[in-house]
Amino acid sequence: MNRFEYETDNGWVVGYFDIYQARNGFIYLVMGNNFTKLTLGQIEQLNINCYSLKDYDHDDFVKAYNLPF
């Protein structure tokens, strides 16, 4: 897992995050106990290389994001 750290008005927040593909084909960002389903735009903006994700399935990705290919 990867580590994040940022400052707030009340101090520092430190934790861990992960990016993975769920069985439904969508890509998720996990920070602490929070799960966020990423849009295709967010995946592109964050420069996430989906092919590098463990157990990535391109066919599931295409189906989940309703892509034409």
Side-chain angles (χ1 to χ4, degrees), residues 48-66:
I48 297 171
N49 178 1
C50 293
Y51 293 100
S52 70
L53 299 175
K54 184 178 178 182
D55 299 327
Y56 174 73
D57 186 297
H58 185 70
D59 291 336
D60 289 346
F61 180 84
V62 168
K63 188 183 297 183
Y65 287 96
N66 198 26

Side-chain angles (χ1 to χ4, degrees), residues 1-2 4 16-20 28-32 34 53:
M1 287 190 128
N2 301 298
F4 66 87
Y16 294 91
F17 74 92
D18 196 10
I19 298 171
Y20 76 96
Y28 284 82
L29 169 65
V30 183
M31 292 180 72
N34 298 309
L53 299 175

